[in-house]
Amino acid sequence: MLFKTRSAAVYGIDAHLIDVEIDFAGYKTEKDEFSTVGLPDAAVRESRDRVRSAIRNSGFDLPTTRITINLAPADLKKEGSGFDLPIAIGILGAYGALTIKEVHDFVLVGELGLDGTLREVQGVLPIAIAARAAGIRNVILPAANAREAAVVDGVDVFPVRSLLEVRELLNGFASGKQSMFAKPLRVDTKQLLAGSEHALPDFRDVRGQLVAKRALEVAAAGGHNILMIGPPGSGKTMLAKRLPSILAPLTFEEALETTKIHSVAGVLDKDAGLVTQRPFRAPHHTVSDAGLIGGGIIPRPGEVSLAHNGLLFLDELPEFPRNVLEVMRQPLEDGQVTIARASMSLSFPARFMLAAAMNPCPCGYRGDPSGRCHCTAPLIQRYISRVSGPLLDRIDIHIEVPAVQYKELRGGSAQEGSAEIRSRVLAARERQHARFHANAPDSGRQPPPPASDPRSRGSSRTAPRQKVFSNAQMSTQQIRIFCELSSEAERLLERAMVSQGLSARAHDRILKVARTVADLAAAPSITVQHLAEAIQYRTLDRSHWS
């Protein structure tokens, strides 16, 4: 007898529905013959032993016969233990242990224990989204995964804990009787996002460092990458950890896209079910290029993708291997990572803010009044050159973070908190959104979709390749339009270019940062004061660092 169920396989951060076809031979054999076809990996092939034991330990006496499992379409590789549940339900259906005759309106995912209990799997959020896109109403998942999938509107997610509960649920649908397991889980996503603002470190804890705080405020307001340079103990890490507290809150679309990545990577908090705060990732400098960018035989997201819509912090930047830092150039430029393998090529989103920190010299104490630094100029240059010029060109703000003086450290004056800084950042972001929206090519027809919307793409040669949401993302054409300078400001920029030997790329980044400084001041145009502040944020371009 033939019975069909449905499941899903995850590729990248998207899921594809899989038809699970079970053929149950009508005759007995001397021993169990259980074969799985359709490009299964080792975990899927091993499911035959888990499924057989789970079925028998759940009280069903299967006859010794031939069972053939086909996972269609057959040209897509299937991996993971999530196919255990649909295979087991298909066998029970073919054997006649179910009163329901077809389960085409159900997607089933879950790993089976030998006693018939269900264990959690990875990537159920993309599976729920794929089910909704296909018009499938019901998703049956392990109880540990249900909250994660329930954030998707338009599908009913049923949490179950064992194979027997799934059988009772399906038979209840067939008979029209209300099963105790037939109530779908509901999650209030608005309440989740509303209650996400808590437990973030506050800038009120930081003593002194007014210049560094201002630079971080500018970076947050314009989405600029920032590099902090200072001696050990000056507070670089402390400042970076407080940067998320002044970023704009996640929208639901951003939260959903970020949660998909964390779900696929298996790092999602199952109790939360949804990423409600902007990610903060801080990998150690011993991370590999695959760990930072992603990789594997079946590519998985790396740190840059886990930081999508959030912040990636790289402490001790020159200590990272050169090849690891160089692979970041594509995501910093394009906002995504493409990983190619012989069997497939997958893209992961990676639009993040980069915050990095480094010492001014190998010993870390260059410029210290005590004179304990004995690093020579060639040694310092070799140390700084560990970070390549092309990577530095993608960092808009370079700021020195000096050691905190004793009076500032012990002073009793009140420090400005994250709430006050964040209010100014949000106001500046609103001005940018209004400016880019008003000048978008399609602004007269429809509002721009969010960054995670699949419609968000470049429309012509004269428009940017993707929608712009912050000053850091402006194209060269938009810089000319939105960063016009007065004659006095032009002369200041020319003097800076000549005296400091700034590159053309530094020129564009200075204008972008100056536009953000003007937005924070609610100024319609860039003034000399705004431009002068932006020029000061190019520490590594100055002559004394050459």
Side-chain angles (χ1 to χ4, degrees):
M1 182 178 177
L2 181 66
F3 197 89
K4 296 181 181 180
T5 62
R6 275 185 169 174
S7 190
V10 177
Y11 301 93
I13 62 168
D14 297 313
H16 298 269
L17 295 183
I18 302 297
D19 291 326
V20 182
E21 302 173 336
I22 294 89
D23 181 56
F24 200 98
Y27 54 87
K28 291 187 177 182
T29 57
E30 293 184 1
K31 60 179 182 178
D32 286 332
E33 297 180 16
F34 198 121
S35 62
T36 305
V37 297
L39 287 183
D41 73 342
V44 179
R45 289 193 298 270
E46 290 173 354
S47 66
R48 62 178 179 267
D49 298 316
R50 292 191 298 270
V51 167
R52 184 186 296 112
S53 296
I55 290 176
R56 288 177 175 166
N57 289 327
S58 296
F60 301 99
D61 186 17
L62 288 180
T64 304
T65 186
R66 177 179 178 78
I67 300 174
T68 303
I69 311 295
N70 179 43
L71 306 176
D75 59 343
L76 290 178
K77 187 173 180 62
K78 322 302 185 305
E79 67 163 358
S81 57
F83 291 99
D84 289 3
L85 180 59
I87 289 174
I89 290 299
I91 291 175
L92 292 179
Y95 179 55
L98 297 177
T99 57
I100 193 170
K101 298 305 179 185
E102 56 182 22
V103 289
H104 64 274
D105 198 32
F106 292 85
V107 170
L108 300 99
V109 180
E111 177 186 336
L112 283 171
L114 299 184
D115 59 352
T117 57
L118 279 172
R119 295 171 178 161
E120 65 184 76
V121 294
Q122 296 178 5
V124 300
L125 179 59
I127 291 172
I129 294 174
R132 180 182 63 180
I136 299 177
R137 180 72 184 179
N138 306 302
V139 179
I140 299 178
L141 298 168
N145 291 123
R147 187 172 178 82
E148 172 188 345
V151 301
V152 180
D153 292 331
V155 293
D156 290 334
V157 176
F158 297 94
V160 288
R161 292 177 171 79
S162 68
L163 183 60
L164 286 176
E165 288 186 10
V166 180
R167 174 177 177 265
E168 182 177 340
L169 173 64
L170 292 175
N171 286 342
F173 271 94
S175 63
K177 296 180 180 179
Q178 184 74 16
S179 167
M180 64 180 296
F181 309 110
K183 187 176 181 180
L185 180 65
R186 303 296 182 193
V187 173
D188 188 346
T189 55
K190 292 183 179 180
Q191 184 179 4
L192 280 178
L193 290 173
S196 64
E197 303 300 323
H198 64 279
L200 287 176
D202 198 291
F203 270 99
R204 200 177 302 277
D205 303 328
V206 180
R207 295 288 178 176
Q209 301 297 10
L210 297 181
V211 175
K213 288 180 183 179
R214 170 64 178 179
L216 290 172
E217 179 181 340
V218 173
H224 303 288
N225 300 322
I226 184 170
L227 171 62
M228 293 176 285
I229 309 161
S234 59
K236 303 184 296 293
T237 303
M238 186 179 188
L239 288 164
K241 288 182 177 180
R242 281 150 181 79
L243 185 52
S245 67
I246 62 174
L247 297 177
L250 280 173
T251 65
F252 177 70
E253 290 76 14
E254 288 177 323
L256 202 61
E257 187 176 28
T258 305
T259 304
K260 284 173 63 176
I261 301 171
H262 287 229
S263 174
V264 169
V267 297
L268 181 66
D269 182 0
K270 303 301 180 184
D271 294 331
L274 186 71
V275 175
T276 57
Q277 292 182 348
R278 294 195 179 273
F280 178 85
R281 305 293 299 185
H284 192 260
H285 60 75
T286 57
V287 67
S288 66
D289 52 357
L292 188 66
I293 296 299
I297 299 175
I298 303 295
R300 295 293 186 189
E303 291 291 335
V304 297
S305 294
L306 293 173
H308 180 61
N309 290 323
L311 181 70
L312 178 69
F313 176 52
L314 302 182
D315 201 2
E316 304 295 343
L317 187 65
E319 302 300 329
F320 283 79
R322 181 70 172 258
N323 65 301
V324 173
L325 293 179
E326 291 307 298
V327 295
M328 282 205 309
R329 287 159 62 177
Q330 182 203 1
L332 284 173
E333 192 74 25
D334 301 333
Q336 69 174 6
V337 174
T338 300
I339 303 173
R341 295 290 181 267
S343 59
M344 66 180 66
S345 179
L346 297 177
S347 293
F348 298 102
R351 185 177 296 281
F352 58 89
M353 270 186 62
L354 173 65
M358 60 180 286
N359 294 331
C361 65
C363 76
Y365 294 102
R366 183 188 185 197
D368 191 280
S370 63
R372 49 180 162 172
C373 175
H374 301 286
C375 300
T376 62
L379 189 63
I380 294 172
Q381 186 58 40
R382 281 197 301 271
Y383 175 76
I384 296 174
S385 64
R386 293 181 187 177
V387 185
S388 69
L391 181 60
L392 285 176
D393 276 340
R394 289 163 171 81
I395 301 178
D396 298 345
I397 298 176
H398 314 150
I399 186 69
E400 291 187 63
V401 184
V404 182
Q405 300 298 318
Y406 178 80
K407 290 183 178 179
E408 293 179 326
L409 190 63
R410 298 296 298 170
S413 60
Q415 304 293 312
E416 189 175 37
S418 295
E420 294 86 351
I421 301 174
R422 190 185 199 191
S423 64
R424 297 194 295 268
V425 168
L426 294 180
R429 282 293 182 120
E430 285 295 328
R431 296 183 187 101
Q432 294 168 50
H433 175 75
R435 179 166 59 245
F436 296 133
H437 181 194
N439 290 272
D442 59 347
S443 59
R445 295 191 296 272
Q446 60 183 7
S452 58
D453 193 305
R455 296 173 296 163
S456 181
R457 55 173 68 96
S459 57
S460 69
R461 292 183 181 179
T462 60
R465 294 180 60 188
Q466 55 192 346
K467 296 293 183 180
V468 177
F469 299 97
S470 65
N471 289 333
Q473 300 170 8
M474 284 193 293
S475 65
T476 303
Q477 180 185 5
Q478 289 171 322
I479 292 174
R480 293 195 185 101
I481 297 173
F482 303 130
C483 301
E484 292 184 350
L485 300 178
S486 65
S487 57
E488 187 181 359
E490 286 281 5
R491 289 193 295 271
L492 173 62
L493 182 58
E494 182 181 4
R495 289 197 301 270
M497 293 283 294
V498 173
S499 63
Q500 297 184 19
L502 300 179
S503 67
R505 287 173 177 166
H507 166 273
D508 287 352
R509 277 155 179 76
I510 287 174
L511 290 177
K512 290 180 181 181
V513 174
R515 180 65 264 177
T516 301
V517 175
D519 288 337
L520 283 168
S525 59
I526 299 174
T527 67
V528 172
Q529 290 76 16
H530 304 147
L531 186 62
E533 181 176 348
I535 292 172
Q536 294 303 309
Y537 293 144
R538 299 297 302 183
T539 295
L540 290 183
D541 290 326
R542 297 179 197 163
S543 57
H544 75 279
W545 285 95
S546 311

